[in-house]
Amino acid sequence: MARRESGTRETNGEHIRLSGVGLSYFTPREETEALRDVELSIGKGEFISIVGPSGCGKSTLLSLVSGMLKPTKGKVSIDGAEVTGPSAKVGYMLQHDHLFEWRDVLGNVTVGAEIRRMEKAAAKRRGAELLERYGLGDFIRHAPVQLSGGMRQRVALIRTLVAEPDILLLDEPFSALDYQTRLTLSEEVFHIIKDQGKTAVLVTHDLSEAISMADRVMVMSKRPSTISAVHNIVFDEGEGLSPWSKRQAAKYHDYFNAIWKELDDHAVSAL
Amino acid sequence: MPSPLYERYLRIQKRRQRLIWLTRLVLLAAFLVLWELAADWKWVDSMLTSKPSQLWGSFRELAMEGSLFRHVWISAQETLIGIAVSMAVGTLVAMLFWWSTFASKVLEPYMVVLNALPKVALGPIFFIWLGDRYSVYGMAVAISVIVTIIMIENGFKDISRTKLKLMESFGASKLQMLRMVLLPASVPHFIATLKVNVGLTLVGVIMGEFLSSKAGLGYLIIYGGQVFQMNLVMVSIAMLALLSIALYGVVNVLERYARKKYHHES
């Protein structure tokens, strides 16, 4: 297992740990090994991006952390406890917002809290507060069909936040949006996540998104995939840069090229 | 302020709409007049075809003595109850099939056979089991319930898997998925099913009344045929047509209300 670390950074306490994780899918026709020997440790408050060729099991990795899938080998743990099912510590944000069109915006953001049987009035208050804070205060009673794509995705993020997770799993949350909205929204989501002090794992096929948002970028190989490289993203311009200013930073292109080359190597070696 | 061109467009649309309605009415009137004249001029035997003026006469006669509306009401009642029962049973069974893939797989071939079986053939069984009054309901539900199950089940399958994945990520139970996603998301399917159900249940009710009953429009039609009273038969059929129009109207009102409430785009 080739693993390169370009620089180091301390994390404050281990939050998520995957040790020796493997996953195989079974269908009547065949067995597919999706993941093999995945080792991963994520600290509190860290922002991780995962990139890799399509179909390499990036989303599968998120499903494992969320507890919706169980690994066939190895162990996934959060705060030292093994994950056995969907956990209240984890919030999942999907590619499509999947807002319920039969509920208004406030009704949508409280869905998660409702499922988890959290106190209704408190969830509503928290939802309204977050909507207000992140620029959706005027749309609380609107139907989802009246919102733009970017607004809908922000509502989806708030729906996840209202359920008060410590960890946010983002599964290509911007890929269904047009380029302009994508840039603005990734900027906004980054600030919301930092503002709320959440740990985040972002799966994306967009390298610039991965580099500009994350503290560390993990590169996955082709199936059976594993984490083939980890890049610590550190800029000379200082810490706490916004994704937008990271895209302008001096070392941005070095990271981009390095990761691009790694992905390219996998593509070639798989031929 | 709408532009003159837009106003002109609206005017043309309105005129077209009026023309469509007018033509419909003219068509109906022409049909009735032709029928009347054909009978008067002995092109056809009015013993066999009756004629509109006679129909109007016997309608008034039947309406006066009050029995006509009693028969209409009985058929309407049977249809409404039939629809309610088959919607309720159909939804419950579809929910069971969604809940347990095993049950759905096991029962699949039985559903196919039941769907293909002409339910009218069960008439005598319903008569023996349920008696002449309730066998009508048996027939009505038998004809509509299988299609209801299949349509609602397909509706459940149409709901995107990722919407349920979202529910799962919050740790939702099956009951929560059902209550929070499947049922509200299926409202358009319920309406579509209801529309099909109105037609099918009405067939079931009339069929049931044909086979065994002492009242209702189906009874009236069969009776009129047996005593060779074409007026009675035709008036009953006309009332049946009006009844189905009324039922469709009710479903359309329900549909508009539900779409508005649930924001489902048409």
Side-chain angles (χ1 to χ4, degrees), chain B residues 175-203:
Chain B
L175 197 65
Q176 283 175 322
M177 289 186 191
L178 201 59
R179 190 172 54 79
M180 292 172 71
V181 178
L182 251 56
L183 293 181
S186 292
V187 167
H189 291 287
F190 286 132
I191 301 286
T193 312
L194 204 55
K195 276 185 182 164
V196 172
N197 228 315
V198 167
L200 285 178
T201 311
L202 213 48
V203 170

Side-chain angles (χ1 to χ4, degrees), chain A residues 28-47:
Chain A
R29 212 171 274 207
E30 60 180 354
E31 173 182 355
T32 313
E33 193 179 5
L35 296 174
R36 181 189 286 177
D37 293 330
V38 176
E39 296 286 338
L40 178 61
S41 165
I42 300 171
K44 268 211 160 67
E46 219 183 349
F47 200 129

Side-chain angles (χ1 to χ4, degrees), chain A residues 2 4 28 30-31 70 76 82 84 116 129 153 161 167 177 186 207-208 217 227 237 245 249 265-266:
Chain A
R4 280 160 284 162
E30 60 180 354
E31 173 182 355
K70 283 194 184 79
V76 180
E82 188 168 352
T84 51
R116 298 216 162 117
E129 239 170 60
Q153 203 52 293
L161 291 175
I167 299 162
L177 303 168
S186 61
L207 292 190
S208 60
V217 177
I227 293 169
E237 283 84 348
S245 36
D265 284 348
H266 293 311

Side-chain angles (χ1 to χ4, degrees), chain A residues 17 19 64-65 67 70-71 73-85 87:
Chain A
R17 157 138 221 108
S19 41
L64 285 171
V65 175
K70 283 194 184 79
K73 264 191 215 140
K75 205 173 107 175
V76 180
S77 47
I78 293 174
D79 293 332
E82 188 168 352
V83 174
T84 51
S87 145

